[in-house]
């Protein structure tokens, strides 16, 4: 190993040892920080103005974490107790902003990794929004609509003390869509007697932005289009494997079909459906309706559409050109990455947050025939349109769908260009989108922190 490499790897080990010691057992958080530190420690060492300010140490310590009891009564009048969290990570460039996740398996480690990633993602959008994440160990799939309403109201009874249009603006994530945001917003309005943009992802009739629901998935495809153009490849006819069948997956699928690609898989936590000819728009609408409104499984969707269903399988074993993991963290591991590469896949873009394990990312980045984009760049369209919703609320105006779509496309292109600027190798090798996204997000956040003093 050459000298600079040895010095770098020892700095990385020292940094990670300290982080792991301070945050024991938080594997997802360690993983997200490690991925960023690999790119940033050498960058910081090369830039004097960043060197002695302990910036990465400061960025990896959240401003605060609020954890609280959420009590509510179910339809049988039994008392239920859950835990809610809000991780307010960094507000140096704008008020805290990030989704709420309702998932029985959610942990503080997961919410910390998501909040940490959100700081860089939000900085990349170019909008003035800081990073946060929150949620609860609550499973909306197991509860009736009235139970979900009472749970959201109970959660907001405490969350109200920590959020607000200039303080912290939550939105949706896994298990939290427009319905849940509606109940949360109603309770916020009722408790504060103020109609303000304290949440995004609201219904369009009460301050929500056009296209917020679609924004993450559409944004992924706008980003993929720019990646493919850079590679002189065409999306027309490209086979796209997508995981998940929720908000991000279905809207990524819709835009992929609009751009002429063939969506050959969708999945859920139980299994995967596969069809070589690809979904058409009508079939996708059926899948979305069955999954979303009727809580059907992908197995039932496959049955209805006459597609093949593979119990317990992930989409990464099928032949495809493009893979878009859009379900959850660590859903694509090193073996899956190898399978995708062996099958000729040439582009992976993360619709979900950290869906690829460290081994998978390493395998993609080692292969010159593969272009890989991390979630903090590729899925930033959702939070970007949340930022536009906040702007509309502050202006007391409503923008047209076309205007929001134009802005979304512009923002995704600018994120792509920022990644190329900082991650382009200039040697014919694929752009290192991970490095580009990490450095571009860091620069914006670091400059704001330096300018505002030691805090
Ligand atoms: P949804 O709740 O709408 O959908 C989640 C989907 O993922 C469901 O189809 C679910 O299947 C599937 N899923 C969940 N866990 C697993 C698992 N362990 N294995 C396989 N599939 C699983 O969530 P979203 O679409 O909103 O979010 C998906 C991802 O995108 C998350 O990583 C989220 O953080 C990220 N994201 C979301 C944004 C947004 O605006 N909503 C913005 C940016 C990123 P099942 O029905 O069986 O549970
Ligand atoms: O991961 C994410 O970027 C989101 N869940 C969206 C956050 C937001 O504030 O819209």
């Amino acid at each position: 190993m050459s000298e600079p490499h040895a010095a770098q790897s020892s700095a990385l080990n020292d940094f990670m040892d300290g982080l792991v010691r301070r945050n024991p057992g938080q594997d997802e958080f360690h993983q997200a920080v490690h991925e960023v530190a690999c790119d940033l420690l050498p960058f910081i060492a090369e830039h004097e103005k960043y060197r002695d300010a302990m910036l990465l140490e400061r960025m990896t310590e959240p401003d605060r974490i609020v954890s609280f009891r959420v009590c509510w009564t179910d339809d049988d009048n039994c008392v239920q107790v859950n835990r809610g969290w809000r991780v307010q990570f960094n507000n140096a460039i704008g008020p805290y902003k990030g989704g709420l996740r309702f998932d029985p398996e959610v942990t503080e480690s997961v919410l910390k990794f998501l909040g940490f990633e959100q700081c860089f993602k939000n900085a990349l959008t170019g909008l003035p929004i800081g990073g946060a994440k929150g949620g609860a160990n609550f499973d909306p799939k197991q509860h009736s609509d009235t139970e979900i309403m009472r749970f959201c109201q109970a959660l907001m009874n405490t969350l109200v003390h920590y959020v607000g249009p200039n303080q912290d603006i939550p939105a949706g994530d896994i298990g939290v869509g427009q319905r849940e945001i509606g109940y949360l917003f109603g309770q916020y309005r009722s408790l504060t007697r103020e109609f303000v943009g304290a949440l995004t992802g609201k219904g369009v009739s009460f301050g929500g932005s056009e296209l917020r629901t679609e924004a993450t998935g559409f944004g992924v495809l706008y980003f993929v289009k720019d990646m493919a153009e850079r590679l002189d490849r065409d999306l027309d006819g490209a086979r796209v494997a997508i995981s998940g069948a929720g908000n991000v997956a279905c809207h990524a699928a819709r835009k992929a079909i609009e751009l002429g690609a063939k969506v050959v898989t969708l999945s859920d936590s139980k299994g995967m459906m596969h069809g070589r000819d690809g979904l058409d728009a009508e079939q996708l609408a059926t899948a979305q309706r069955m999954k979303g409104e009727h809580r059907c499984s992908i197995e039932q969707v496959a049955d209805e559409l006459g597609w093949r269903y593979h119990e317990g399988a992930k989409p990464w074993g099928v032949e495809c050109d493009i893979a878009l993991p859009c379900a959850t963290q660590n859903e694509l591991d090193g073996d899956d990455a190898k399978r995708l590469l062996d099958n000729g896949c040439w582009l992976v873009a993360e619709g979900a947050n950290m869906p690829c394990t460290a081994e998978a990312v390493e395998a993609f980045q080692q292969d010159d025939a593969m272009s890989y984009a991390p979630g903090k760049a590729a899925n930033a369209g959702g939070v970007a349109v949340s930022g536009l919703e906040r702007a509309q609320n502050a202006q007391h105006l409503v923008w047209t769908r076309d205007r929001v779509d134009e802005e979304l496309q512009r923002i995704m292109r600018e994120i792509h260009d920022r990644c190329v600027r900082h991650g382009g190798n200039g040697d014919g090798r694929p752009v290192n989108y991970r490095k580009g996204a990490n450095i571009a997000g860091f620069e914006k956040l670091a400059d704001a922190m330096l300018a505002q003093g030691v805090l």
Side-chain angles (χ1 to χ4, degrees):
M1 204 184 277
S2 69
E3 268 314 300
H5 279 112
Q8 275 168 21
S9 95
S10 128
L12 179 62
N13 288 341
D14 288 350
F15 177 79
M16 287 308 302
D17 284 349
L19 185 104
V20 170
R21 212 170 34 247
R22 290 189 298 278
N23 303 276
Q26 300 193 335
D27 295 349
E28 295 85 358
F29 182 53
H30 304 161
Q31 183 184 338
V33 173
H34 184 267
E35 187 234 81
V36 166
C38 285
D39 293 326
L40 289 185
L41 287 175
F43 180 78
I44 292 170
E46 280 164 20
H47 293 79
E48 199 180 341
K49 70 169 173 169
Y50 297 133
R51 216 174 286 153
D52 298 320
M54 300 291 276
L55 284 162
L56 206 50
E57 288 77 359
R58 286 154 70 183
M59 286 179 189
T60 50
E61 199 63 51
D63 287 352
R64 67 193 63 77
I65 300 177
V66 191
S67 134
F68 52 94
R69 185 176 63 240
V70 184
C71 292
W72 55 286
T73 42
D74 65 20
D75 290 343
D76 299 322
N77 255 332
C78 294
V79 176
Q80 299 277 346
V81 185
N82 289 89
R83 185 176 297 170
W85 286 271
R86 189 70 180 160
V87 181
Q88 295 182 329
F89 231 103
N90 190 307
N91 66 350
I93 62 169
Y96 303 108
K97 180 96 199 76
L100 293 171
R101 178 175 290 194
F102 289 174
D103 175 352
E105 306 301 327
V106 88
T107 61
E108 199 166 295
S109 168
V110 167
L111 295 175
K112 278 174 74 176
F113 112 66
L114 289 163
F116 176 70
E117 290 274 297
Q118 199 81 45
C119 299
F120 291 81
K121 185 194 302 191
N122 293 4
L124 273 174
T125 65
L127 298 170
I129 39 182
K133 201 81 188 191
N137 61 350
F138 172 79
D139 187 355
K141 284 186 284 187
Q142 300 302 323
H143 296 289
S144 69
D145 188 71
T146 53
E147 289 180 331
I148 289 170
M149 179 184 74
R150 285 197 295 278
F151 177 78
C152 289
Q153 292 172 340
L155 183 89
M156 187 50 81
N157 285 342
T158 300
L159 201 59
V160 69
H161 301 301
Y162 305 96
V163 299
N166 295 311
Q167 193 179 350
D168 184 352
I169 308 131
D173 193 79
I174 289 182
V176 177
Q178 212 178 83
R179 172 182 58 172
E180 289 74 18
I181 294 293
Y183 293 144
L184 290 161
F185 180 75
Q187 187 71 352
Y188 179 89
R189 181 177 58 75
S190 162
L191 291 169
T192 60
R193 290 171 286 135
E194 291 210 71
F195 195 112
V196 291
L199 291 131
T200 59
K202 302 181 290 294
V204 174
S205 64
F206 54 94
S209 177
E210 289 285 354
L211 219 71
R212 173 59 189 90
T213 309
E214 297 88 340
T216 310
F218 281 18
V220 172
L221 265 293
Y222 294 148
F223 197 89
V224 166
K225 195 162 157 274
D226 285 341
M227 290 173 79
E229 263 167 28
R230 225 192 129 71
L231 296 166
D232 268 335
R233 300 261 202 169
D234 203 350
L235 294 189
D236 199 22
R239 296 158 304 171
V240 184
I242 296 181
S243 66
N247 173 292
V248 179
C250 286
H251 292 105
R254 192 164 123 202
K255 187 54 77 179
I257 294 168
E258 272 176 43
L259 294 172
K262 272 192 209 169
V263 174
V264 293
T265 65
L266 287 177
S267 71
D268 63 12
S269 50
K270 306 282 185 313
M272 179 274 280
M273 69 177 207
H274 180 215
R276 271 179 233 287
D277 297 334
L279 284 172
D280 62 32
E282 210 173 299
Q283 288 173 317
L284 174 64
T286 303
Q288 215 169 340
R289 202 171 42 249
M290 289 179 72
K291 272 299 279 179
E293 288 167 27
H294 306 295
R295 298 184 180 190
C296 296
S297 62
I298 273 294
E299 181 172 17
Q300 289 167 304
V301 174
D303 227 28
E304 172 73 22
L305 299 180
W307 273 38
R308 277 171 183 246
Y309 175 71
H310 304 269
E311 179 81 25
K314 302 193 263 185
W316 319 128
V318 309
E319 285 187 5
C320 64
D321 300 293
I322 294 174
L324 305 177
C326 294
T328 192
Q329 63 273 0
N330 291 328
E331 54 162 316
L332 194 162
D333 63 20
D335 291 338
D336 297 322
K338 190 170 176 318
R339 250 173 252 127
L340 283 169
L341 291 167
D342 287 347
N343 278 333
C345 176
W346 47 267
L347 190 154
V348 173
E350 296 182 339
N353 287 308
M354 207 168 74
C356 299
T357 64
E359 292 72 29
V361 174
E362 180 67 17
F364 293 145
Q365 294 207 312
Q366 290 301 324
D367 194 318
D368 284 356
M370 165 60 71
S371 281
Y372 157 79
K376 61 171 78 75
N379 73 33
V383 76
V385 173
S386 275
L388 303 180
E389 182 170 325
R390 175 170 179 254
Q392 292 169 72
N393 293 162
Q395 289 180 313
H396 311 293
L397 287 176
V398 174
W399 298 356
T400 62
R401 196 175 166 86
D402 284 349
R403 177 167 175 195
V404 178
D405 197 22
E406 264 171 42
E407 289 284 320
L408 172 61
Q409 293 190 46
R410 176 186 62 76
I411 290 170
M412 295 314 294
R413 171 144 304 143
E414 286 178 3
I415 296 174
H416 181 266
D417 293 349
R418 286 186 189 107
C419 292
V420 173
R421 199 168 318 131
H422 293 280
N425 290 305
D427 57 0
R429 297 195 58 220
V431 173
N432 185 337
Y433 286 92
R434 182 190 85 173
K435 180 175 162 199
N438 285 338
I439 291 178
F442 171 82
E443 270 196 339
K444 174 153 184 194
L445 196 51
D447 290 345
M449 289 171 71
L450 286 179
Q452 293 174 45
V454 176
L455 290 168

